[in-house]
Amino acid sequence: MNAALTALLHNPLVWRGDHLARTADAVPSGFPGLDRELPGGGWPRGGLTELLTDDEGIGELSLVLPALRHLVQGGAWIALVAPPHVPYAPAFAGRGIDPARVVVITTTQDKHRWWAAEQVLRANSAGALLFWPHIVNDQRLRRLQLAAQEGCAPAFVFAGSVCAAHPSPAPLRIRLSMDATRLRLDVFKRRGSVMSRPLLLDVRATAVHTGGESASTETGNVKLQIIGRLPVQRPPTFRRYYPVGAPQARIWNRALARADEVRRVPGPDPRGVIRPLTETMPQELVSLPP
């Protein structure tokens, strides 16, 4: 084969119709089955990824958390622009993402949201961008795609499924929905061949291993990791007595323990000496006949 043609075919912007585009600049998604369907084996850097769904809380954020954990552990920070709800820091920490590495940007006007998202990508200082625009149009998407191409951070845009009927400059577009207890992914645009069938993922089975036995099972083309049952967290019981001299003494409430140890000593009445009423009344009132 001609050397010039060989070099052209290895260009990541050129691919065969029956193969996925070749690119080494991708972030593993954490789902082996999904990585096999994505060009480069993961979420693309330097380009937009549209995640389209009409429902909230079906696992759209859990889908990208393994990749975010990989980036944060490498020292990057994550930018969330205009999330629909206040992010729950303990949930990020439970998935291995340091909440201190997550920056949340909120604003009331949609044009300011687009401006903030574009500046995050052009600054090229964030490890990833997660963006929830209120209104999506082609012009703003193109500006955001150009800003993403200038950097190397994956950019995720969350929007409604109605946007799937409109063209978009994003190189990767995925429609999300629920199928029983699993998340259904319909990759209807990617740099490569058309995806033959939707992909089903159990995104809630990727929690960070915190102890206990773990097992693996195969569901279709997706390998799931089942985490052992976590111990039940019960609130501590507060008691009025404490085994102060016991070898395994535990004091739940130091203020209460202090109150138990200190005995109240009776003292003089702060109101002074209480005298009979007849001693405080005028003498003429006391000597009046009944």
Side-chain angles (χ1 to χ4, degrees), residues 34-258:
L34 178 59
D35 289 341
R36 288 192 292 266
E37 300 294 339
L38 298 179
W43 300 115
R45 295 178 181 266
L48 299 181
T49 297
E50 290 188 23
L51 301 176
L52 309 179
T53 179
D54 291 331
D55 302 317
E56 294 181 356
I58 63 174
E60 67 276 14
L61 190 57
S62 298
L63 181 64
V64 301
L65 285 182
L68 300 184
R69 179 174 65 247
H70 173 77
L71 294 171
V72 169
Q73 291 177 352
W77 59 276
I78 310 301
L80 279 64
V81 177
H85 306 283
V86 177
Y88 189 53
F92 282 98
R95 292 296 185 95
I97 301 174
D98 185 4
R101 309 297 297 178
V102 179
V103 178
V104 181
I105 304 173
T106 59
T107 180
T108 56
Q109 298 187 22
D110 199 50
K111 64 178 182 179
H112 295 161
R113 300 177 182 179
W114 285 94
W115 180 87
E118 182 179 343
Q119 298 308 311
V120 168
L121 294 177
R122 292 191 184 277
N124 196 23
S125 58
L129 168 69
L130 282 70
F131 179 37
W132 289 264
H134 181 65
I135 300 176
V136 180
N137 60 52
D138 182 70
Q139 181 181 3
R140 288 177 173 176
L141 274 177
R142 292 187 181 279
R143 287 183 59 91
L144 201 62
Q145 171 62 20
L146 291 176
Q149 291 179 0
E150 296 179 2
C152 58
F156 301 94
V157 178
F158 298 85
S161 59
V162 66
C163 298
H166 303 283
S168 171
L172 181 60
R173 309 183 73 190
I174 304 176
R175 186 186 296 107
L176 305 178
S177 60
M178 285 298 297
D179 188 337
T181 59
R182 293 181 293 178
L183 184 65
R184 171 175 173 153
L185 287 76
D186 181 14
V187 184
F188 63 93
K189 180 184 178 182
R190 60 180 177 178
R191 289 174 174 173
S193 58
V194 179
M195 190 171 177
S196 59
R197 58 180 180 178
L199 185 65
L200 300 179
L201 295 179
D202 187 358
V203 296
R204 293 176 177 83
T206 59
V208 176
H209 182 65
T210 56
E213 297 294 332
S214 63
S216 298
T217 181
E218 292 285 343
T219 303
N221 295 328
V222 185
K223 185 178 181 180
L224 308 181
Q225 185 180 14
I226 302 176
I227 306 300
R229 184 183 297 273
L230 298 177
V232 179
Q233 299 293 335
R234 295 184 175 89
T237 303
F238 295 91
R239 300 182 179 181
R240 296 294 303 179
Y241 60 93
Y242 299 91
V244 178
Q248 296 180 354
R250 300 182 66 184
I251 297 179
W252 294 104
N253 191 326
R254 295 183 180 274
L256 188 59
R258 179 63 179 171

